[in-house]
Amino acid sequence: MKIASRLANVSESATLAIAAKAKAMKAQGIDVINFGVGEPDFDTPPAIKAACKAALDAGKTKYTPASGIPELKAAVCAWTKRLHNVDYSAKQCIITCGGKHALANAFLALVDPGDKVLIPAPYWVSYPEQVKLAGGVPVIVTATLADGFRLNPAALRAALKGVKIFVLNTPNNPGGFAYTTAETRAIADVLREFPDVIVFADEIYELLVYGGRKFVSLPAIAPELKDRTILFNGAAKTFSMTGWRIGWALGPVPVIEAMGAVQSQMTSNPTTMAQWATVEGLNNPPPEVEQMRAEFEIRGKLMADGLNAIPGVKCLSAEGAFYCFPDLSAHFGRTIDGQKITGSVSLAEALLEKAHVAVVPGEPFGADAHVRLSFACSRQQIQAGVERIAMLLK
Ligand SMILES: *Cc1c(COP(=O)(O)O)cnc(C)c1O
């Protein structure tokens, strides 16, 4: 059977693939330490689960408006106002089946064949694949660990010529960095020189910042960019609700309406009771939200310090999200335990097969010198896993 040509260069999510392999090894009884998954290990807060149960009991089990219930749109707008002091109305808001779905809707709504989308590397694996599915052309501008993964304004300026959409993700997956207000302002200054460029700001890790950092949303810093910025967010990371599949986007009415048209033909509404549960989370943020952030902060430091103590491993201290993204290229070219290490993919294979530690190779994130480790797991797992990596690389 001939698969459609639009899928010719589209790959399966690498993060989900490694998670599946680690799970399969676990099922065989192998003690795998899993740094591969991109989701909090905490349970969803009880108050949010209770709101879901109440919605079920109240018979909220039918279709809702395709773009989401008005109560959740109102809660999203109020949350955004409270957190960032930026105003959006319900017409500027769409509720989606996760943040990933919001991004997919937006690329489909805005990208014509051949349109260029500028994505800074390291990047979240789904951006280039979604751009390609929409018929667009991903253009990559690379930031390096030496610069703390910060985009150089001059490099950004050079890369923005002829581009339709620019994707900004801070706090960042996989880089684990979070721009300061001044750094976001410097990016905004460059974007101001390109009035036709649409900005996709993926702020899904907005609450997960460390070391006393405060995350400031792009339209809060640069109100003059708000009319051409689309914000992407969701419940997955903030409320440990990855499986509930609730996300949202905020932006100009015509874009939100076009995304709504896509959604109404492809999925219809996000799951009804999950929407009601998210209303509760946003309107009455449970204490677990800050408790989880504080625990991630401790774990991030533990992991980064442990990795940096291994010879030939360089890692940024965790600033945001829940990932370490160390450079391990000093170990490329070696043969470890009979396996030749040629790049991040073979290194991740060796770590999984010989040390029973699951990490995600940096190659699909656009940074082959690196691997991604999630610290959304227990402190004991972090200590034991880092020790195993140190042993293997010795
Ligand atoms: C997790 C994540 C998302 C969205 O995840 P959903 O589970 O679809 O809500 C979006 N962007 C980044 C960078 C992420 O890490």
Side-chain angles (χ1 to χ4, degrees):
M1 222 174 280
K2 190 188 172 300
I3 302 301
S5 47
R6 87 176 67 84
L7 275 144
N9 306 311
V10 175
S11 27
E12 189 199 348
S13 164
T15 52
L16 298 183
I18 204 100
K21 192 166 178 188
K23 245 183 209 152
M25 285 175 71
K26 260 195 179 151
Q28 291 166 27
I30 300 169
D31 164 36
V32 175
I33 295 182
N34 195 351
F35 294 145
V37 285
E39 65 180 342
D41 56 325
F42 302 105
D43 198 3
T44 303
I48 294 176
K49 287 187 178 179
C52 177
K53 289 176 192 160
L56 273 173
D57 290 342
K60 289 172 175 161
T61 58
K62 303 298 174 66
Y63 291 135
T64 74
S67 68
I69 53 175
E71 289 83 352
L72 184 49
K73 291 183 185 179
V76 164
C77 293
W79 165 273
T80 308
K81 173 76 178 165
R82 213 157 62 231
L83 235 60
H84 305 301
N85 197 28
V86 183
D87 289 294
Y88 288 98
S89 68
K91 282 176 91 73
Q92 295 172 296
C93 176
I94 181 170
I95 311 300
T96 59
C97 309
K100 185 182 276 185
H101 183 221
L103 283 151
N105 283 340
F107 283 126
L108 283 174
L110 284 165
V111 171
D112 270 323
D115 279 348
K116 290 180 180 160
V117 177
L118 184 63
I119 303 170
Y123 47 74
W124 187 48
V125 290
S126 293
Y127 302 137
E129 305 312 299
Q130 290 190 347
V131 169
K132 287 187 265 177
L133 275 171
V137 180
V139 177
I140 309 301
V141 55
T142 300
T144 63
L145 176 63
D147 295 325
F149 298 120
R150 267 72 180 163
L151 257 187
N152 175 320
L156 175 62
R157 184 176 293 113
L160 273 170
K161 290 192 183 81
V163 156
K164 176 156 182 178
I165 297 169
F166 170 64
V167 181
L168 180 68
N169 171 219
T170 175
N172 184 271
N173 173 10
F177 69 87
Y179 279 127
T180 63
T181 304
E183 286 163 348
T184 305
R185 199 165 272 140
I187 300 278
D189 285 344
V190 178
L191 289 169
R192 220 170 272 126
E193 299 168 26
F194 297 84
D196 295 330
V197 170
I198 300 162
V199 185
F200 280 21
D202 182 346
E203 304 191 337
I204 195 144
Y205 294 98
E206 63 185 350
L207 289 190
L208 295 179
V209 286
Y210 314 120
R213 281 179 176 74
K214 172 140 176 48
F215 170 74
V216 189
S217 179
L218 181 69
I221 289 174
E224 68 287 356
L225 295 179
K226 188 182 164 210
D227 286 349
R228 53 185 172 105
T229 296
I230 300 145
L231 288 187
F232 296 91
N233 212 321
K237 313 296 161 54
T238 299
F239 300 117
S240 196
M241 286 176 71
T242 46
W244 297 67
R245 311 309 306 133
I246 297 292
W248 55 85
L250 295 161
V253 174
V255 178
I256 296 297
E257 281 180 356
M259 290 169 66
V262 173
Q263 180 157 308
S264 76
Q265 298 296 359
M266 287 208 172
T267 58
S268 300
N269 63 276
T271 304
T272 302
M273 38 279 178
Q275 291 191 64
W276 284 104
T278 308
V279 170
E280 170 65 22
L282 291 170
N283 285 346
N284 304 296
E288 288 88 349
V289 171
E290 170 52 24
Q291 288 160 10
M292 291 189 281
R293 191 210 62 80
E295 177 60 24
F296 283 139
E297 174 148 18
I298 294 166
R299 295 171 179 186
K301 187 166 176 356
L302 192 65
M303 183 179 268
D305 289 351
L307 289 170
N308 276 321
I310 303 173
V313 178
K314 279 180 288 183
C315 182
L316 201 70
S317 70
E319 300 173 353
F322 37 66
Y323 308 99
C324 284
F325 197 58
D327 182 332
L328 290 157
S329 58
H331 294 279
F332 293 178
R334 290 180 59 190
T335 299
I336 299 178
D337 207 356
Q339 188 165 336
K340 178 102 177 139
I341 308 298
T342 55
S344 64
V345 175
S346 49
L347 181 59
E349 276 169 11
L351 284 170
L352 185 56
E353 282 157 23
K354 300 181 190 304
H356 299 159
V357 177
V359 306
V360 189
E363 191 266 331
F365 298 101
D368 193 40
H370 299 255
V371 300
R372 191 191 76 172
L373 298 86
S374 159
F375 52 79
C377 53
S378 73
R379 296 184 206 180
Q380 291 90 319
Q381 282 172 311
I382 291 169
Q383 262 158 339
V386 170
E387 220 160 88
R388 287 186 193 183
I389 296 171
M391 288 289 288
L392 187 79
L393 294 180
K394 210 159 67 185

